[in-house]
Amino acid sequence: MLALDLVERLRQVSPTAANALMTVAVKNIIPLSAVMGFKVEEASDARTRASVPLKRRTRNHVGGVYLGVQVTVLELTMGLWLFRRFPPGRYNALVDKVEVSFHAKAKGGVRATCEPPAEVFTTLDSALRQKGDKAREWVPVRLEDFEGKHIADARFLAVLKRY
């Protein structure tokens, strides 16, 4: 049984506990996320959501959330969605390209949401049917502040291979 299967069993009992467990797992796999205060808020096959607070270690020289922190929370949120949908061990996932458009200064904590359209699911699922198959697809992620103000849009060109 994969670790993600255990998380899903826990999610049936307590979604909050499952999200807390995913947060701890991400912090162990990617230590930088612990320094940032990364927190998984939601994780399903359809959508993932995570946040990072504004604090001394995430603040830039003008008082906003550091650009690197914003891009990292966007990528980690997209990565969570990929891992839920295409679990490690069965699939290998990498980012080939990233495009980010910033719309406003992140003056406080930020929340990233990865909720790809149905076409992304269809393209990836249909291309990854057999061992050795590869797929490439753009996965969008939106960044907002804690009040819902639109901060940035990103898209990651995910490359997946089935083992």
Side-chain angles (χ1 to χ4, degrees), residues 70-147:
Q70 292 179 54
V71 174
T72 301
V73 72
L74 286 161
E75 182 197 12
L76 289 174
T77 303
M78 183 274 313
L80 278 171
W81 177 79
L82 277 178
F83 288 156
R84 282 205 32 95
R85 191 77 180 174
F86 304 97
R90 286 184 247 166
Y91 302 92
N92 185 25
L94 294 171
V95 173
D96 198 26
K97 290 182 183 180
V98 65
E99 296 177 356
V100 184
S101 298
F102 293 94
H103 307 290
K105 180 179 173 182
K107 297 178 183 178
V110 292
R111 178 173 294 112
T113 303
C114 180
E115 192 171 13
E119 308 86 68
V120 173
F121 295 114
T122 304
T123 300
L124 293 174
D125 285 338
S126 64
L128 295 169
R129 297 201 182 275
Q130 297 180 33
K131 185 177 180 178
D133 285 349
K134 284 187 178 181
R136 295 167 49 105
E137 184 61 77
W138 287 100
V139 180
V141 187
R142 181 180 174 97
L143 190 69
E144 297 178 341
D145 66 15
F146 289 165
E147 287 75 44

